[in-house]
Amino acid sequence: MALKVKDYADTTFITGMRAYAALGVVLIHAGGGGLRHLGSLGNALVDLGAAGVCAFFVISGFSVASSYPKAGGFGRYLFLRFMRLAPLYYFWLLTCFLILGRDNYWTSLYGMPPLAIDALLHLSFLHAFFVPAANSVLGVEWSLSVEMFWYLLLPALIGLGRYGRGLGLPAQLVIGFPLA
């Protein structure tokens, strides 16, 4: 049986870099996965995971921007992006709030049960904009609200680029990447 490999055309290198960045993020969140025991080299490799977060954000921003024109409209684009994040995120939120109850990250951080407002902020992806709730359930969920905010902001930036192009400005000058 032949291994089927997806062709990313001109973005294969970028997609590969995104995979390395994601691996770095996983390593740093997993405490190094045993690499820290290798001494300074292992620690240096694991600590690169912090840079992986930044690299992953930049590369993901590019990937999402290139997917918007293919989505077939704002509503479809937003639905696809939401469905990429929400189901698994909501599963873990429910797991933490309902099953773990008082033994979740919020309780260990603040010494009290989670508040209803915290649940609402997480369900609406607004938790990163309220510092006490940013990482209050899973301990690492702040990036999801930033990602959702980017999903909402991107179409406006593309529209701004098209508007700027209508004024005779190149789209790259307005938003930094070419538009179809």
Side-chain angles (χ1 to χ4, degrees), residues 89-105 107 113-114 118-119 123 137-138:
Y89 178 54
Y90 286 169
F91 169 79
W92 285 112
L93 284 178
L94 285 172
T95 299
C96 286
F97 278 122
L98 298 178
I99 297 173
L100 298 178
R102 300 183 64 88
D103 295 327
N104 62 28
Y105 190 76
T107 305
D118 188 57
L123 290 172
V137 178
L138 306 173

Side-chain angles (χ1 to χ4, degrees), residues 43-56:
N43 282 325
L45 283 172
V46 173
D47 291 341
L48 279 175
V53 172
C54 297
F56 189 80

Side-chain angles (χ1 to χ4, degrees), residues 7-114:
D7 181 18
Y8 291 95
D10 293 339
T11 62
T12 299
F13 175 76
I14 292 171
T15 302
M17 292 304 297
R18 186 176 181 200
Y20 283 118
L23 177 62
V25 171
V26 169
L27 271 177
I28 200 156
H29 284 300
L35 289 177
R36 291 209 184 268
H37 297 294
L38 298 177
S40 60
L41 177 61
N43 282 325
L45 283 172
V46 173
D47 291 341
L48 279 175
V53 172
C54 297
F56 189 80
F57 263 31
V58 170
I59 295 168
S60 294
F62 172 80
S63 297
V64 170
S66 66
S67 75
Y68 177 70
K70 301 172 195 165
F74 177 70
R76 175 105 175 110
Y77 156 80
L78 200 54
F79 174 77
L80 292 171
R81 294 285 109 196
F82 180 81
M83 292 308 292
R84 189 173 178 105
L85 287 183
L88 189 59
Y89 178 54
Y90 286 169
F91 169 79
W92 285 112
L93 284 178
L94 285 172
T95 299
C96 286
F97 278 122
L98 298 178
I99 297 173
L100 298 178
R102 300 183 64 88
D103 295 327
N104 62 28
Y105 190 76
W106 176 277
T107 305
S108 67
L109 190 65
Y110 298 110
M112 58 188 256

Side-chain angles (χ1 to χ4, degrees), residues 25 28-30 53 57 89 105 122 127 133-145:
V25 171
I28 200 156
H29 284 300
V53 172
F57 263 31
Y89 178 54
Y105 190 76
H122 278 78
H127 54 282
N135 289 320
S136 60
V137 178
L138 306 173
V140 294
E141 69 270 18
W142 66 271
S143 64
L144 295 176
S145 64

